[in-house]
Amino acid sequence: MAAEPEGRVLGDVLAARRRRSFVGRGAELALFEGALDSEESLFSVLFLHGPGGIGKSSLLDMFAGIAEAAGAAVVRVDGREVAPVPGEVLDAVGPVPAEVGGRLVLLIDTYERLAPVDDWVRRRLLPRLPATALTVIAGRQPPDAGWRAETGLGELFRVVALRNLSPVQAREYLRVQGVDARRWDRIAGVSHGHPLGLALLTDLHARDAELPDDPLSPDLVTTLLRRFVDVVPSDRHRQALEVCALARVTTEALLRDVLGPGDANALFGWLRELSFVYPGSDGLYPHELARDVLDAELRWRDIDSYQRVFHGVWTHIRSVLRGTTGRTQQRAIFDLKFVFRNLPGVLSPVDWESWGCAYPEPATPGERGTVVELVAAAEGAESAAIAGHWFDRQPGGFHVLRDQNHDVQGLLVILDLTAADPAEIAADPGARAALAFATGAQPLRPGEVVTQTRFIIDRTAYQDPSPTLNATPVLTMQHYLRTPNLAWDLLTLAEPERWDDYFAVADLPRATGADFVVGGRRYGLFAHDFRRVPVDSWLELVTERALARDFSPAAPTGPDLLVLSQPEFAQAVKQALHDLRTPSALARNPLLRTRLLHDYTAGQPDAAAVERLLRDAITALGADARADKQLRALDRTYLRPAATQESAAALLGLPFSTYRRHLSQGLSGVVAWLWERDVHGFACTEHN
């Protein structure tokens, strides 16, 4: 065997091996090489897109090798490893001089993770690169229309959709991999040329596993991974797979802590040679299509082994968390919650697509007005005044999340209620309710602290899954770890009923009798007594509950219906009309918990029933010939919506003010029709 060149690391060797086994994509390689060799740029940006497992990352590896061999300066950015904020992307790119020796080649992988900064990439990042730079972007989704409309790139922008390999290319891949030629047609037919499927079938063949005779179901990767688990060399290798599937990234140190030091090095080497495991800047990670399949399969096969491995991964991350501060600690908290993502008992309201991509940071004094405006838009003027009240008194408790333009996208506020004087507490119904609950059963002892997460607001999603909601446990966990003598922490959330089950598992049960109202909206408090269960014990308890197969919160004894006030009811109807074409939003609407929907569906309400009921209400309004104008406004706003209300007015041939008046009258009619049935029931109303 020839010796490897001095100075190379294992990652270089593996990358070279993967390039040698690469087949197909001749047109894409020729396109890239032509652009690289041309003195005048044939194009500046190449945008590759295709589904998971189609080979985008492997093609970028080939581009990198070609560019390096041509003397180009290659810069690689991976969306899995970079938060989608301009500063972090710039850090990953590094300093870019106006001119470089040779061409600059920028390769951006997993671009779907960087979607929040897509505008910034095309408007700010690319224009600052040298004129001769060549950028290749690879992601699951095709480029946004803005790439052609706004960048001015024209012919300098190319788009390529990657497809499965042809049968000829699939057989060539199997030849390069050393697969018995008698198996080529069978494996190529089963995989349909899907690159990740081919790689998995090759792994199975190398382990003498039984291969299927017929083409598999569309869920090819799932079927193959389950067969792969059947033929791993040993229980130790299966446990290493469990670690890799559970943890966001796997390092040799993690394997050593979880499985013991004896063979951690060998197991790490085995993992990194698997076709569906890739090296990253901070460790190994499985292909996204493989991770959840492996996690579910291994948990199902041996729950006791899974729980032992889970505890080991969790303990390792917790030790990192305890030994760090700042952003490093925040990342460890993200990693801690990541391992819980698939446990059925933890119905965590998480936007996993943006998980770990945005971090809270202290608000600046100059952002008071922005913070107040954000609260006003989400919760109304009374809440905004309360936010301003606390910003003036406890500005250090205000944290924000920023978007790609550095504008405030989200707000998280943690107050120290024991540091506030009685007049400050009295000005806020939420703070009054929280402190009264915490001190009601047992007075605080000297030095004990009560805190309240008072505001959680995302500019777009409010308190639905979002980067802001993702960041909430990160900030609160940091707060728990660094607050001496913490007695109570209370979390404030609107629509508290929808959070009951989740926080029951998390041992932050609803604070009974502590709901409060601000600006006509009801809020609930979810509380934990850290004197009774300290932080470490609390984390252990949450873990045990999440892993327990038989744990579930107490089941309700009957339908727990909401009795909304008329303003709350009207707001719920208007929000439902706004969300009429978004079932996931309708499924969260308070109307689902009302007598109205319970009666309408005979006790089986769902999002589709909300939509049907609203359409029935609009139809009923149309029974009155005098309401024709209102009906037309409702139709063009909600049933067959125009792009904007201005467009709706134009379609109806009305001045905008007239259209708005008709729409307001129509909304009032729909609300009245539904309100009557919520108060009196469908049967009574229909017979009157």
Side-chain angles (χ1 to χ4, degrees), residues 147-161:
W147 279 92
R148 292 193 183 279
E150 300 174 16
T151 58
L153 287 169
E155 292 300 317
L156 297 178
F157 180 63
R158 301 286 183 90
V159 180
V160 173

Side-chain angles (χ1 to χ4, degrees), residues 171-231:
R171 287 192 288 271
E172 174 62 12
Y173 173 84
L174 296 170
R175 185 194 67 78
V176 171
Q177 294 295 324
V179 175
D180 187 335
R182 292 171 295 181
R183 299 287 191 98
W184 292 356
D185 287 345
R186 181 177 170 189
I187 293 175
V190 166
S191 68
H192 301 289
H194 186 271
L196 180 58
L198 271 172
L200 284 167
L201 283 162
T202 302
D203 277 347
L204 289 171
H205 176 268
R207 289 162 174 78
D208 295 321
E210 181 181 354
L211 299 180
D213 291 319
D214 300 316
L216 299 175
S217 68
D219 198 1
L220 172 69
V221 172
T222 297
T223 304
L224 295 179
L225 283 168
R226 287 173 176 164
R227 295 189 182 210
F228 179 83
V229 173
D230 285 333
V231 295

Side-chain angles (χ1 to χ4, degrees), residues 64-85:
I66 293 169
E68 288 165 355
V74 178
V75 176
R76 301 196 67 163
V77 177
D78 194 324
R80 286 170 294 220
E81 301 174 1
V82 179
V85 293

Side-chain angles (χ1 to χ4, degrees), residues 11 76-83 88 91-92 248-252 268 272 278-285 331:
R76 301 196 67 163
V77 177
D78 194 324
R80 286 170 294 220
E81 301 174 1
V82 179
E88 299 224 7
D91 288 344
R248 183 183 62 84
V249 291
T250 297
T251 62
E252 192 171 323
F268 187 78
R272 74 182 302 165
Y278 306 99
S281 61
D282 50 358
L284 302 178
Y285 56 89
R331 288 190 175 119

